[in-house]
Amino acid sequence: MKFKNVGLVALIVVSVAALLAFIDHYNIIPVNHSALMFSRWLAIAGLFLYGFKKKSLTTWILISMVVGAEIGHDYPEAGIKLQVLSKVFLKMIKTIIAPLLFATLVYGIAGHSDLKQVGRMGWKSILYFEVVTTIALFIGLAAINISKAGMGITLPPGAQEELPVVPPQSFNDVILHIFPENIAKSIAEGAILQIVVFSILFGIALAMVREDKRQPMLRATESLSEVMFKFTNIIMYFAPIGVGAAIAYTVGHMGLGILVNLFQLLLTLYVALLVFLFGVLLPIGLFIGLPIKKFLQAIAEPVSIAFATTSSEAALPRAMEAMERIGVPRKIVAFVMPTGYSFNLDGTTLYLSLASIFVAQAAGIHFTFGQQLLIVFTLMLTSKGVAGVPRASLVILLGTASSFGMPVWPIFIILGIDELMDMARTSVNVIGNCLATVVIAKWEGEFHPPVELSAPNENRIHKLEDEI
């Protein structure tokens, strides 16, 4: 483990395994099944050596994804049983969300007593979110109309199975979902936007009381936020196991062959998301003078967690910490990041416009451009305020199909590869929200990137707070 060329050794064994798989797949030279398996596990051993030398949590998460895929492929039954480990990881992450949001928001608002800035950040955030997500909707609409991935699909066997009945979301439903009736219920249901609203009002109320009454609660929330970030560090040691188990379950449940099925739809989504990343988010980053390389290094870990677990919540604590480390004040991170999880789901909104027209194409329903615009504007409303709802995109998709008279059987086809699509759109959600915090911080004139961003994981202390 001390020799210097461990990276080269890992690269060689991985390359050999990939070459053997390529030769066997295209029948160039028949390769024994046992030899293929041995080469893959040898490659994984090489990656383990590299991981021990690198000593980076992000590296171990990526290695665990490879290990999980191999377990799911070679031992699918064992891979499926490993799902319990991924669920343990997600459960532990979800315990962090509510106290972390409450503590950081309340301290951010009441600690500075600048209520005007809260209102200013609010309208700036909503304006930015609406512009970016609308662009994402139109990119998804254009992508599916160009690829026509849903054309020529016939009703599959077993399509008469019942999907959960989801009534269309009205405007009143969207508005009511924003406000909590019981904060304990909101925490239990993972209603992030309701927790944010409660925390903002609590912070405003705390800012309005006398100094002697405010300070004890302020110190308590400051301590709570620090404890929850340390709590996150502890949970993250389990991240490689949880992430690897999630991938093992996905591959074991669906098989690697699922990549062949509906490849056109997958390709359409991935290309559309890349267009959005490089055509929208990258220009925004360049326009505001974002240090792109350092930003990518900072978000690598939360994005990899989001990709593997298909959960934006799982990446939220680490993403918030990463944004603080690159120079965004905690009060802005605490306000913009959780709000973005309800109003700025870029990947999900792009997917929804794409998937809605895919359903129509599969069902043989032709929508005019005007009707497609109506669907897009409907999705602009219904895609808001559902953060924390399991498979929220499925809920919205079913509601949209119901609203526009589309059948639900094409959704079965999407469900077959939804996990693979969810990985990509969740990753884009996290990237979009991280960028949004920098945009608002820049807009407020409070983005101060430190000179050195490469502090080790265990020393990620929030050094900027004293400068605010």
Side-chain angles (χ1 to χ4, degrees):
M1 246 171 283
K2 293 184 178 180
F3 55 93
K4 298 180 180 179
N5 295 325
V6 66
L8 180 61
V9 171
L11 178 63
I12 291 172
V13 292
V14 169
S15 300
V16 169
L19 181 61
L20 288 175
F22 177 83
I23 290 172
D24 181 71
H25 180 75
Y26 288 100
N27 295 318
I28 299 173
I29 300 174
V31 182
N32 183 272
H33 175 73
S34 298
L36 283 172
M37 184 182 292
F38 176 77
S39 69
R40 293 196 299 266
W41 282 103
L42 186 63
I44 287 173
L47 291 176
F48 264 85
L49 286 175
Y50 179 73
F52 281 116
K53 183 176 185 296
K54 196 76 173 173
K55 295 180 181 178
S56 161
L57 183 60
T58 304
T59 301
W60 276 111
I61 289 173
L62 296 175
I63 291 171
S64 72
M65 291 170 67
V66 177
V67 175
E70 184 62 26
I71 292 173
H73 178 61
D74 292 341
Y75 311 103
E77 291 185 5
I80 291 172
K81 290 178 181 178
L82 287 177
Q83 187 187 24
V84 66
L85 295 177
S86 66
K87 286 185 174 181
V88 167
F89 175 64
L90 290 177
K91 277 178 173 287
M92 293 304 294
I93 285 291
K94 287 180 179 180
T95 63
I96 300 170
I97 304 298
L100 179 63
L101 293 185
F102 174 79
T104 52
L105 271 171
V106 171
Y107 181 75
I109 294 170
H112 300 85
S113 302
D114 188 357
L115 301 185
K116 288 184 179 179
Q117 186 181 32
V118 175
R120 206 166 55 239
M121 286 194 299
W123 74 258
K124 287 178 179 178
S125 299
I126 296 300
L127 176 62
Y128 174 80
F129 294 160
E130 284 303 320
V131 170
V132 174
T133 53
T134 301
I135 294 172
L137 284 168
F138 279 103
I139 289 176
L141 193 66
I144 194 66
N145 277 289
I146 292 171
S147 73
K148 301 188 185 301
M151 295 291 190
I153 295 177
T154 56
L155 185 68
Q160 299 305 319
E161 295 179 49
E162 292 186 4
L163 280 170
V165 177
V166 179
Q169 274 199 319
S170 66
F171 180 75
N172 288 350
D173 293 331
V174 175
I175 295 299
L176 288 173
H177 185 82
I178 295 174
F179 299 97
E181 60 176 321
N182 183 321
I183 188 60
K185 180 183 177 185
S186 301
I187 292 171
E189 294 178 350
I192 291 179
L193 193 56
Q194 294 180 15
I195 297 170
V196 168
V197 170
F198 176 84
S199 301
I200 290 172
L201 293 175
F202 191 96
I204 292 172
L206 185 59
M208 295 172 70
V209 301
R210 292 200 321 261
E211 185 72 14
D212 60 323
K213 303 294 184 184
R214 181 169 70 243
Q215 283 304 318
M217 180 60 73
L218 204 57
R219 286 195 294 271
T221 54
E222 181 185 16
S223 297
L224 179 59
S225 65
E226 291 293 340
V227 170
M228 294 316 298
F229 277 117
K230 292 300 181 185
F231 190 101
T232 302
N233 286 340
I234 295 171
I235 299 302
M236 282 302 119
Y237 287 119
F238 189 69
I241 296 174
V243 166
I247 293 292
Y249 170 77
T250 300
V251 175
H253 181 63
M254 298 189 300
L256 290 174
I258 193 65
L259 292 169
V260 179
N261 301 323
L262 297 178
F263 178 74
Q264 191 176 6
L265 177 61
L266 270 176
L267 185 63
T268 301
L269 176 68
Y270 276 70
V271 169
L273 290 173
L274 286 173
V275 169
F276 179 75
L277 286 172
F278 290 101
V280 179
L281 296 188
L282 180 60
I284 290 173
L286 293 173
F287 178 75
I288 65 172
L290 177 71
I292 301 296
K293 185 178 179 181
K294 293 180 178 180
F295 177 76
L296 293 177
Q297 290 172 345
I299 66 172
E301 189 179 304
V303 169
S304 62
I305 291 171
F307 182 85
T309 62
T310 68
S311 170
S312 297
E313 281 186 343
L316 178 58
R318 217 52 164 182
M320 292 177 71
E321 201 172 359
M323 290 303 96
E324 265 197 85
R325 284 190 295 109
I326 69 167
V328 182
R330 180 178 297 184
K331 59 183 178 180
I332 294 180
V333 173
F335 182 86
V336 178
M337 187 76 74
T339 307
Y341 273 72
S342 287
F343 290 96
N344 191 42
L345 300 175
D346 300 330
T348 298
T349 50
L350 187 151
Y351 159 80
L352 285 170
S353 63
L354 184 149
S356 298
I357 304 305
F358 173 85
V359 170
Q361 290 177 351
I365 299 173
H366 174 71
F367 284 127
T368 64
F369 182 67
Q371 290 172 317
Q372 292 186 24
L373 284 180
L374 182 59
I375 292 175
V376 166
F377 289 124
T378 301
L379 290 170
M380 283 174 61
L381 289 177
T382 57
S383 62
K384 305 296 188 288
V386 292
V389 178
R391 290 294 179 200
S393 56
L394 173 62
V395 173
I396 299 166
L397 190 56
L398 287 167
T400 304
S402 174
S403 299
F404 289 89
M406 292 184 280
V408 297
W409 67 260
I411 298 175
F412 281 107
I413 300 173
I414 297 175
L415 287 178
I417 54 167
D418 188 61
E419 194 80 13
L420 295 170
M421 301 176 85
D422 206 4
M423 290 174 176
R425 63 180 183 250
T426 303
S427 301
V428 174
N429 288 343
V430 173
I431 295 170
N433 278 319
C434 288
L435 179 61
T437 61
V438 181
V439 170
I440 302 304
K442 269 279 190 179
W443 204 343
E444 287 289 300
E446 295 195 35
F447 180 58
H448 307 295
V451 176
E452 182 56 59
L453 297 178
S454 57
N457 289 346
E458 63 272 15
N459 294 325
R460 289 175 180 174
I461 301 171
H462 315 288
K463 298 176 181 178
L464 297 173
E465 191 174 356
D466 293 335
E467 300 174 10
I468 301 171

